[in-house]
Amino acid sequence: MGVFEEDDSVRVSTLVKLWVSEGFLKPMNGKSLETIAIEFLKDLIDRNLILVDKVGSTGNIKFVKIHDLLRDLCLNQSKKDGFYHVIGQHAPRGISSLRRVVISRNAPMMEVLDDLQSMPRARSIISEYGRIPCIKYSRLLRTLHAYKFHYFGDESLIKSLASQYVNLRHLAVRVGSMSSIFTSFTRLWNLHILIVSCFEMFTAPADIWRMPQLRHIEMITGGRFYLPEPSSDDVVVMENLLVLVGIANFKCSEEVVKRIPNIKKFGINYFCRRGIEQDDYYCLNNIKCLCKLESLRVDCWDDFVASLYALTFPQSLKKLTLDMNDYFQWEKLLEKIGALPFLEKFKLWYGCFGTGKWEMVEGQFPSLKYLELHSCPSLQHWTAESNSIFPRLEKLHLDDMRQLKEIPTQIGDILTLQKIWLENCGESAVMCAKEIVEEQVELQGEDLPFRVKVWLPRENEAVQSLAGPNFEVYVY
């Protein structure tokens, strides 16, 4: 935790990936290393050594902090043990033998250069804040974490990483060209985590399917990243691969699904491809065979993929985000989604309701905790035929739903409901939310844990006059 700056909010997923790549964790009782990491983190939280800073929409811990005094203890102990060196700070034992180096936010570039050149045995370089200079590193380099703010300075250095640093386990960088990453890429046979930020359109080599150690592939791109199908001659099964995010026009053929049997988080997007007219070209219905999948995001913007209407989701799914073009008709898919037994988080973006209505029936969304509807201008009437809707719903987020005239009054009867957010919504929906609040206050008093927050793009005296302890109104 001393790697991060004072008072920083530390992303749990980043911390977990660093623990995994550093080899701090060992397999236990058939659990994944990521699951073990979360258990260790919760143990530290239970001991009040680590503080929860932000919780996700379904209750998962997203960010943590550490008390300043405990962080000082981390820094002092790291100096004593030579665990890592923070550039700009004194190292009583010298730095030539140290294995880990941390580049802090305000570290002068000359100091960074001098210290890195004086650490020939560095195994890990971690920079959450700044740029890593272009020097030749130890061939024993295991962790290179620097992708948030600046481009990695020299593309030729990245090429040498792919060809020489065969011990790399964690490579998280920001580059100008994807080709610099994938030159001699398969020599990185130890690689566990690959995170790349790039704005270039690029197709990865099929050899990526021959790297069984990979656990996490994430492309943070403004362009498009294509991953080809594996060759039928390959026999490698990517049993360790848990995360595959940021892939464009991914073809979920039977062969591909067999190669990623343990995938838990999957993020794909589809763009128009001329010459492809078959509805089933992308084989999206095979997603149902990913029986361990927990989180799925599908974006389809430029072209309409008709096979999505026939899409069947795996029963294991807990989180689902669908971002479709304006012609996609949600009525053809919502019944299937509502039947998913473990679905806790559902985001529905864009698309349309051909009838202008969403009529909910009893028994749908039995486990849903968070629901977000974003920019569905065709939805005007949202109703329910039963009081038994969303039995576990905690948070409802409506964004840019200007034509929505009503929210089901039954939502106010949900015992677990905590918050309703309305951003840039019409007055009718806002009034429905106000009625829900008033009913709850009448039943439980003003100390109830339920809140409504409304954001408006301009002054609206009628809505602002409704503000109260449980009904907050903001203008932006």
Side-chain angles (χ1 to χ4, degrees), residues 49-215:
L49 297 174
I50 300 298
L51 310 174
V52 176
D53 187 49
K54 293 181 183 178
V55 176
S57 53
T58 58
N60 294 327
I61 302 169
K62 292 293 186 180
F63 291 87
V64 294
K65 281 188 173 183
I66 186 171
H67 193 281
D68 291 346
L69 293 177
L70 191 58
R71 180 176 178 275
D72 290 341
L73 178 63
C74 290
L75 292 172
N76 292 333
Q77 192 67 31
S78 72
K79 290 179 182 179
K80 179 181 177 181
D81 297 341
F83 186 71
Y84 59 78
H85 169 59
V86 179
I87 289 179
Q89 296 185 8
H90 174 64
R93 298 170 56 177
I95 63 174
S96 60
S97 62
L98 297 183
R99 300 291 191 266
R100 300 178 184 89
V101 58
V102 178
I103 302 176
S104 58
R105 180 182 288 117
N106 298 316
M109 186 53 65
M110 288 307 299
E111 284 192 33
V112 175
L113 277 168
D114 290 343
D115 283 7
L116 285 176
Q117 289 173 334
S118 301
M119 298 178 67
R121 301 178 183 178
R123 304 289 198 277
S124 304
I125 301 174
I126 301 172
S127 174
E128 277 278 291
Y129 314 99
R131 177 176 174 177
I132 292 181
C134 307
I135 63 173
K136 189 172 182 179
Y137 303 113
S138 165
R139 287 179 177 269
L140 301 176
L141 191 65
R142 184 168 53 192
T143 297
L144 183 60
H145 181 86
Y147 70 95
K148 282 192 175 179
F149 298 103
H150 297 281
Y151 282 104
F152 199 104
D154 186 359
E155 303 298 331
S156 64
L157 182 58
I158 290 289
K159 291 181 180 179
S160 69
L161 283 171
S163 61
Q164 299 179 34
Y165 298 95
V166 296
N167 290 297
L168 266 177
R169 295 183 184 177
H170 180 114
L171 179 59
V173 291
R174 190 170 184 179
V175 297
S177 171
M178 295 294 291
S179 59
S180 60
I181 289 288
F182 291 109
T183 301
S184 305
F185 181 71
T186 51
R187 295 185 185 181
L188 298 177
W189 54 275
N190 271 313
L191 196 64
H192 290 184
I193 295 164
L194 175 65
I195 302 173
V196 181
S197 177
C198 182
F199 286 87
E200 180 192 57
M201 184 170 65
F202 192 78
T203 299
D207 289 341
I208 201 169
W209 293 105
R210 300 173 184 169
M211 302 178 66
Q213 298 295 334
L214 278 171
R215 312 179 65 85

Side-chain angles (χ1 to χ4, degrees), residues 46 59 85 341 365 475:
D46 291 341
H85 169 59
F365 299 98
V475 178

Side-chain angles (χ1 to χ4, degrees), residues 408-420:
T409 56
Q410 293 91 334
I411 285 180
D413 299 328
I414 301 172
L415 298 178
T416 55
L417 193 64
Q418 300 171 5
K419 295 179 182 178
I420 295 179

Side-chain angles (χ1 to χ4, degrees), residues 415-463:
L415 298 178
T416 55
L417 193 64
Q418 300 171 5
K419 295 179 182 178
I420 295 179
W421 293 278
L422 295 99
E423 298 185 44
N424 198 19
C425 294
E427 280 192 34
S428 295
V430 173
M431 294 303 296
C432 284
K434 178 63 175 177
E435 290 174 8
I436 291 173
V437 168
E438 289 177 343
E439 184 178 341
Q440 292 303 306
V441 168
E442 186 176 333
L443 292 172
Q444 304 182 49
E446 292 190 354
D447 293 332
L448 75 162
F450 172 53
R451 295 287 186 276
V452 172
K453 293 186 178 183
V454 179
W455 283 267
L456 302 170
R458 62 186 68 84
E459 297 286 343
N460 186 318
E461 293 183 3
V463 174

